[in-house]
Every structure is written in C-alpha cells, then in structure tokens.
Amino acid sequence: MSDIEYLKQALELAKKARGDTAPNPAVGAVLVEEGQIIGEGFHRAWGESHAEVLALQELTHCENATLYVTLEPCCHQGRTPPCCDLIIQKGIKKVVCGFHDPNPKMAGQGIAKLRAAGIDCELQTIPEIKDFYRPYAHWWQTGRPFVTAKLAMTLDGKIAGKNGERKNITGSGMQQFTHEQRKLCHGILTTARTVMNDDPLLNVRLPGKTKVKPLFILDRQLSLSPDAKIFHTGAPITIYHDDLLTPPQSKNTVTWVPMPSHAEHLDLLKIMQHVAQAGIHDLWVEAGGRLIHSLHSAGLLNRAIIVIAAKWFGPEALKAFDSDPGLLYGTPTWRIIEQDALCEINYDK
C-alpha cells in the first residue's frame, strides 16, 4: 500500500470519533512495519489518549516502523503529554502526517521537533483529509465555528402549514440523514421560534444510539417555555437573549447569555464568536429561513443543505423565505435521498 492509502486508513479511524472530541480535533493513526499494520488508534474524546498513543501503546520499540497520522503530532503539554515525545521515545523511523495543525501552539513545531530528533517526517496532504479538517482550520483561522444550515421545504417553498402548523416535509431517509449530520457536529443552533413551533428534541437518534449535543438557542425576547422538550434532553443549553432583558437564574444545564441587538436582531457575529469559545468547531443549524438568510447575509454561513420535498402545501402555508435569500449561487451539488432532493452549497472560497 502507498502512503496515501495508509493515510486514508488513518482517516477512516478518525471518522469514528468525528463530533465527539471537541475542542480537540478527531485524529486517526496507523503504524506500519514491513507492509503490515502493527498498531492503530483514534482519539475518542477530549482528555482521553491521542491517536498516536493508542497506536503505539502495545509496542516497546519501533525502529523500522512508519507512523501515519491524519494530523501533525502535538508537541505541547495539554490534558495529555506531547505525542512527539512518545514517538521519539519509541524510536519510530518515519512519520507521515496528513495536515498541518493550525493551532498556534503547533504551527509546524511538531514536525520540526520530530525532524530535529532524526525522524524522517513528511507532510502528505490529500483532499479527503483537507476536507475533513475544514471546520477545525476555519475555527482557528476565524475564531468562529464552521456553520452548516439545513432547511427542508416543499416544491412551493413552504416549511409549515397554515399559521405555522407543523407538518412532515421529508421522508424517513432524509430524517436519518439529519440525525447522522447531528452526530458529526459539535453543537446545534436553533431559534426560540423553531422550538415553539416544532417542540423538537434536537438530539441524535440513530439505531442503537441516542446522544445529546450542546445546544445553542437564539431567544431575543426570552419567550421560551420551560416545558419545551429540549429542556429534558440533558444537553448543555446556551440561550442568547437581548442584553436589555433579565433572564431567569442559570441552572446546571442551561446558561443565559446577554447579547446586543441591532434592528431587533441579535448580533450574530458575537454569537458565533461565543459559540467558538465553547470549543465548537462544527456548528449544525436547524431553523427557519429567516435565520439562514441572516447568517448568509452576514457572511457567517459556510455550507447550506436545502432539501426539496415532492409536496405542495398551498398559498396559506408558511413560506421559507420572504424574499430571495441569494443562497443558490456557485455550483450546487444535488442528490436524491428517497423521494427528497438534497442540494448542498459550499460558500468557502
């Protein structure tokens, strides 16, 4: 197998923990000697052993081995010791990593430290790994999360029935896709209006697994009911409100955060910066067209997933957008999930 093929194997390991490691990135590692994989590992959760440690833990010395790791090995002390020190101690002959760590504490210093110790260390960038670390790199480069918004609508551009009545739009295949995307993200953003209209759980529900994610809610007027289902899912919840209002006292799972408003809208940039400070690299947005339009207009939307269902709700149903949001520019990619058409648009230059 080639270096690229081994890096792809390490990436498959990293994918197992995607969405579970924030504020750390997900990382996979494969140790190879004479064409045989003799160790492998992936970082499972923040504060737990790194991928390199797990790949090396059963081995005493590895003079003839090559370590393939998706991200540059760390060289600084965090919640765990530097991986570079262990790699040097084990006598690894060669290290191939798939992405420079954009963390300022790293910035190539991991590779430099390994080379200074006499280890042949290469950076082998491949598109799959670059795409995998887009949210992590964006988080470091901008101080904001990588934002993906999903919106499902009918053929006539409606997202609910008359007076906002909740109606099923997409089929079971699209619903499963949504839960898979929730699993991959680090946090979920929604609005008080969406919560009041739909009373969603906003957790991950996949066969054999139910999981909660940090939840962020825009509630400018502090209008949420304490009986909403989201308050019983157990996820840490952050609620952003107008800084002129006084919220209830914070409790174990809920924190209220005041934010300035402009023209009756909360400051989305400051909210994104606050979300990022919570260690959220990858933010999944489930809300109505108004928020998605606002995020796009403010240049805060990195990816949109627009789902078109083969349904027609009629003129009295609730519209997704009051005016053209300008979302569909560039080259959207389309695919069909059962009876629903999914359009994905990436806005990163």
Side-chain angles (χ1 to χ4, degrees):
M1 290 176 62
S2 67
D3 286 353
I4 289 176
E5 289 171 313
Y6 283 125
L7 280 174
K8 287 182 178 180
Q9 283 204 229
L11 178 60
E12 290 306 307
L13 290 169
K15 287 178 180 178
K16 292 183 178 183
R18 183 175 174 182
D20 296 333
T21 60
N24 288 350
V27 179
V30 171
L31 188 67
V32 178
E33 187 173 56
E34 297 179 354
Q36 299 294 318
I37 294 177
I38 59 173
E40 60 181 30
F42 63 94
H43 182 45
R44 296 174 184 273
W46 182 59
E48 295 190 11
S49 297
H50 288 191
E52 300 94 319
V53 174
L54 295 173
L56 296 168
Q57 65 182 353
E58 301 296 332
L59 304 162
T60 55
H61 226 59
C62 322
E63 295 96 335
N64 298 315
T66 298
L67 179 67
Y68 296 89
V69 60
T70 54
L71 186 69
E72 177 183 2
C74 64
C75 61
H76 63 280
Q77 177 71 44
R79 288 178 66 90
T80 58
C83 290
C84 285
D85 291 355
L86 179 64
I87 293 169
I88 294 167
Q89 175 192 329
K90 292 285 187 176
I92 299 291
K93 177 180 71 172
K94 181 179 178 181
V95 174
V96 180
C97 46
F99 200 77
H100 261 309
D101 193 334
N103 183 341
K105 292 181 179 178
M106 292 292 299
Q109 294 180 63
I111 291 174
K113 183 171 184 176
L114 294 174
R115 288 174 176 167
I119 297 172
D120 180 7
C121 190
E122 297 179 4
L123 179 69
Q124 179 77 265
T125 302
I126 60 174
E128 295 88 343
I129 290 180
K130 183 178 180 181
D131 185 64
F132 184 76
Y133 287 121
R134 277 173 71 204
Y136 180 59
H138 178 85
W139 182 66
W140 276 114
Q141 291 161 2
T142 67
R144 306 192 308 268
F146 184 93
V147 178
T148 300
K150 187 215 86 171
L151 182 70
M153 67 176 78
T154 61
L155 284 171
D156 58 340
K158 306 301 172 61
I159 59 173
K162 185 178 179 181
N163 298 321
E165 174 195 1
R166 183 178 182 181
K167 298 180 74 171
N168 285 334
I169 296 176
T170 59
S172 58
M174 189 60 217
Q175 290 163 18
Q176 170 147 341
F177 171 85
T178 298
H179 283 277
E180 289 169 351
Q181 294 301 303
R182 288 179 185 174
K183 178 181 180 297
L184 298 178
C185 77
H186 295 143
I188 299 170
L189 176 72
T190 190
T191 65
R193 175 178 292 190
T194 297
V195 173
M196 289 188 290
N197 287 346
D198 298 343
D199 200 16
L201 293 174
L202 287 178
N203 57 3
V204 178
R205 300 186 301 281
L206 292 169
K209 171 175 277 192
T210 299
K211 188 176 181 65
V212 297
K213 294 282 181 171
L215 186 58
F216 302 87
I217 306 173
L218 308 186
D219 185 14
R220 190 174 68 87
Q221 296 288 353
L222 291 173
S223 54
L224 276 174
S225 166
D227 297 324
K229 290 176 183 176
I230 54 166
F231 293 115
H232 305 287
T233 62
I237 299 173
T238 302
I239 299 176
Y240 298 105
H241 64 89
D242 191 301
D243 58 9
L244 298 178
L245 301 179
T246 302
Q249 185 175 0
S250 293
K251 48 189 178 182
N252 287 342
T253 59
V254 183
T255 301
W256 282 267
V257 179
M259 283 287 164
S261 292
H262 307 290
E264 299 187 349
H265 295 285
L266 292 174
D267 190 319
L268 290 176
L269 175 58
K270 288 187 181 299
I271 288 172
M272 291 300 114
Q273 291 168 340
H274 189 271
V275 170
Q277 289 166 10
I280 305 297
H281 313 163
D282 207 331
L283 185 66
W284 176 253
V285 178
E286 289 191 41
R290 182 179 298 180
L291 175 59
I292 295 172
H293 190 176
S294 296
L295 287 168
H296 180 259
S297 298
L300 299 172
L301 186 61
N302 301 98
R303 185 168 68 123
I305 293 175
I306 309 298
V307 184
I308 312 295
K311 295 182 179 180
W312 194 272
F313 282 179
E316 294 186 343
L318 183 65
K319 289 192 252 182
F321 302 104
D322 292 327
S323 60
D324 180 8
L327 290 172
L328 293 173
Y329 70 81
T331 309
T333 58
W334 291 86
R335 57 176 153 150
I336 303 297
I337 298 180
E338 293 180 351
Q339 71 270 35
D340 300 317
L342 184 154
C343 173
E344 179 176 334
I345 314 108
N346 287 283
Y347 302 112
D348 279 5
K349 298 290 189 293

